[in-house]
Amino acid sequence: MRPPLDTSGGRPASGAELNVARQLIERSGITEILGPLLDAEVGRPRKLSLLGFLVACQVNALHRHHQAHLVEVARILNALTEAQRHSLGITGWNAEESYPCVERLFVKICDVLESGHAGVDAQWFANQLARAAIPKEVLTSSSVAVDGTDVETWGALHGEALTVELDGEAADTQLSDPRRKSGGPKRRAKVFGVGPDGRKRYTADPDARAGHRSATNSRPAGPYVGYELHLAVQARDVRWTNHLDRTTLEPEVPGVVTTCNLVPAGTHRGKAVVDNLIDSKEVGPPLVDVVWDPGYSLCQPAFTTFPLSRAGIGQTFQPVTHQRGSRPFSGKALLLDGQLFSTHLPIELRELPASPRGASEAERLLYEAKFNQRAHWRMVRHAGPDADGVTRWRCPFCAGLLRTRQVPKTMRRSRRAPLVELPEGVDRCCSGILSAAPVELALSQRIPYGTTAWRISMGRRQVVESANSALKGAFVDLGRGFFRVFGQVKMTVLFGFTVAGFNLDRIRSFRAKQAERDTAPRPRAKRRLGTWGDHIAAPAPVIATEAAGSPD
C-alpha cells in the first residue's frame, strides 16, 4: 500500500498560464492522435480528460525549478477553479482521488506510446511538445549544435559507482580513462539482471544502463547509471567565410531545443541523434550544418557522416589527436586532418600542432597563423556529391587561391592570391579534376580545421552548452530526483513538457533582450575633425602687405 500523499497546497494557475499551456497542447496535435487510442467505447468514463491532464503537466513545467513529479500535477489540478476544470473537460472532480486519476491516465498514455503504434512513441511525443513551443518566425536558422548530458536514474545503486562496467555500444567513443583511482576495496555494484539488449541492469529501473560522463566543477569524471539526453539546439548560421581568418555569422537567434532524445546511457550516440536530425528537415527550415563534439565524430561514419552527407547536411567538429595528421589517399592529393590539399604543400605546413586548451587569444592566433597559411593550399570542391557520394575537386591553383610563375596561366588570377614557388622542375600544378569517394573524406569539413575562421564557426557550439547548463540548474535541475518514475518512456513523456517550458523561457528572454536593445538610446556618432569640409568652408587667411607707391 502506498502511504497517503498530500495533494493540497498547489499553486493556482492564472488565466494567462492556462491559456499558454492549452494553446501549446492544441498546437502540438497530441490530443487528436492519442485521443482515439485512449478512449474506449465501453466502461466508466474518465473524470480526468486527456486535455486536462496534458495542460496540467504543461502548467507545472512552465515554472522555473519545477519537479517532474505526478503529485505536482495532481496539486495543480486540485488548485484549479471549477470553471477552469470545466473548460478542460474535467467533470465530477474529487480532490481525494486526484493522484490515482493522474497516475492511471499517465500509465495508460505510456502504454500506448510504448507500443509505438503508427510511429507514435515517446520520442515523437516529446518532440511534438518541443516544436509546438517554437513559433515559425523564431525558427529561422539552418544550423544546430548537438551535445549530450547525463540523467541519473531514480533507482538506487547497491554498491560503488566505480565498479560499474561500461558495456554499451558507445563504450569505445566515451574518451574515458581506463585507470581507476585506488583507495582501498570497493563494494561491487549489484547486478539485477541482464536486459533484452544484452546489457547489465544495476538498478530497479528496467531501462537504465551504465555509462560514462565527463567531469564538471562539482564532480569528477566517471561511470554512472541512468540515461543520456541528446539535444539539438538552434545555432547561428554562417553567412560568409573566406576559409582562412574571417567568418561572418548571421544575427543572433534564440537557443531553443529543436530535437531531443532520451536514451539509456552507453547507447551509440550516432544512432541516437542522426535519424532525428534528418527527420527534423521535414518540420522546419532545411538543416545544412551540425556542430558537435568528438563524442559524435568518433562514431563510425556509417552512422554519422555518411547519412548526414546524403541528406545534404555538413558537420563542424574538433578532431581528437588520433584523428589528426596525414592519411592515405588514392588520388594525387594530400589528406591532412580530413581535408584535401595540393601535393605541392610545403613540408613545414603539413604536421601542425593545435593550440593548447586554455590558451589566450594571442596564443591561439599564433598557432592559427600556420593553419591559415596552409588553408591557401586546400583543394576546392568542383562538383558533387553524386548518387554514390563521390565528389570532384580542383587544385588551389586552378581555383585561384594561389599563383606561381612556373605555371603562367595562374598569373592571370587576382593579385590578392599569394605568389608561391613550386619545387624545382615542376611545370604543372595538377593532373586535372580529382574524384574522391566518401569513405576517404569521412572527416571533411566546410571550413579547414585549425583556422581562425573554423574557430569562429566552432564557437557556435556554446549554445548547446548553455542549454545543458540551464537544464542542470538555471531553469531546472535534471539531477537525481527530478524524475521519480522508472522507464525510458515515462521519463521521456515528462521531459517533453519540461523542454517545451524551456523553449518558451528562452524565447521570452530573447525577445526581452531584443526589445531592450531596440529601445536603448543610440550613442551620438563622434564628429570627424580635419575633413575636407572643415578646410574648404574655413575663410582664407588675410595677409597684410605694404602698399606699393607709398609717398614716403
Side-chain angles (χ1 to χ4, degrees), residues 76-286:
I76 288 178
L77 289 170
N78 290 336
L80 295 177
T81 63
E82 286 295 333
Q84 290 174 335
R85 284 195 288 264
H86 185 267
S87 63
L88 297 176
I90 304 175
T91 58
W93 185 251
N94 186 358
E96 296 179 356
E97 300 178 357
S98 58
Y99 186 82
C101 290
V102 168
E103 183 187 27
R104 191 181 305 113
L105 181 55
F106 174 72
V107 171
K108 193 171 184 179
I109 293 174
C110 293
D111 290 340
V112 172
L113 296 176
E114 191 171 6
S115 64
H117 176 72
V120 178
D121 53 7
Q123 183 181 346
W124 167 86
F125 184 93
N127 285 324
Q128 286 293 109
L129 290 174
R131 294 163 186 163
I134 309 175
K136 292 183 178 180
E137 63 271 13
V138 172
L139 196 61
T140 58
S141 176
S142 299
S143 304
V144 295
V146 178
D147 196 11
T149 185
D150 61 284
V151 179
E152 286 193 67
T153 178
W154 176 240
L157 177 64
H158 298 269
E160 298 290 340
L162 292 176
T163 62
V164 170
E165 298 179 1
L166 303 180
D167 56 355
E169 295 179 281
D172 297 335
T173 62
Q174 293 284 349
L175 295 178
S176 57
D177 188 358
R179 298 172 299 177
R180 293 180 177 177
K181 298 181 180 180
S182 60
K186 304 293 183 181
R187 181 188 173 193
R188 191 167 188 83
K190 178 183 177 181
V191 178
F192 281 67
V194 178
D197 55 353
R199 300 180 59 188
K200 296 180 180 179
R201 290 178 47 229
Y202 291 95
T203 64
D205 191 339
D207 298 329
R209 298 293 183 265
H212 183 273
R213 56 187 176 188
S214 57
T216 63
N217 294 332
S218 58
R219 56 164 174 76
Y224 75 102
V225 178
Y227 302 83
E228 186 173 10
L229 175 62
H230 299 273
L231 299 176
V233 180
Q234 180 178 224
R236 301 169 67 181
D237 286 330
V238 174
R239 177 186 297 177
W240 173 85
T241 180
N242 63 353
H243 301 84
L244 301 175
D245 59 345
R246 296 176 59 190
T247 293
T248 303
L249 301 179
E250 292 287 350
E252 185 179 357
V253 294
V256 293
V257 177
T258 59
T259 303
C260 61
N261 190 16
L262 184 70
V263 296
T267 302
H268 194 285
R269 291 182 173 178
K271 299 178 182 178
V273 73
V274 170
D275 291 340
N276 297 339
L277 295 176
I278 297 175
D279 294 340
S280 65
K281 297 183 63 175
E282 302 178 359
V283 296

Side-chain angles (χ1 to χ4, degrees), residues 531-541:
T531 62
W532 284 113
D534 296 337
H535 291 280
I536 296 176

Side-chain angles (χ1 to χ4, degrees), residues 495-513:
F495 178 73
F497 300 102
T498 297
V499 71
F502 170 77
N503 285 343
L504 292 177
D505 183 79
R506 279 299 169 100
I507 295 173
R508 178 202 56 79
S509 177
F510 175 77
R511 288 176 174 173
K513 183 179 179 181

Side-chain angles (χ1 to χ4, degrees), residues 424-438:
E424 186 177 356
V426 177
D427 58 353
R428 296 179 60 184
C429 60
C430 64
S431 301
I433 301 298
L434 179 69
S435 297

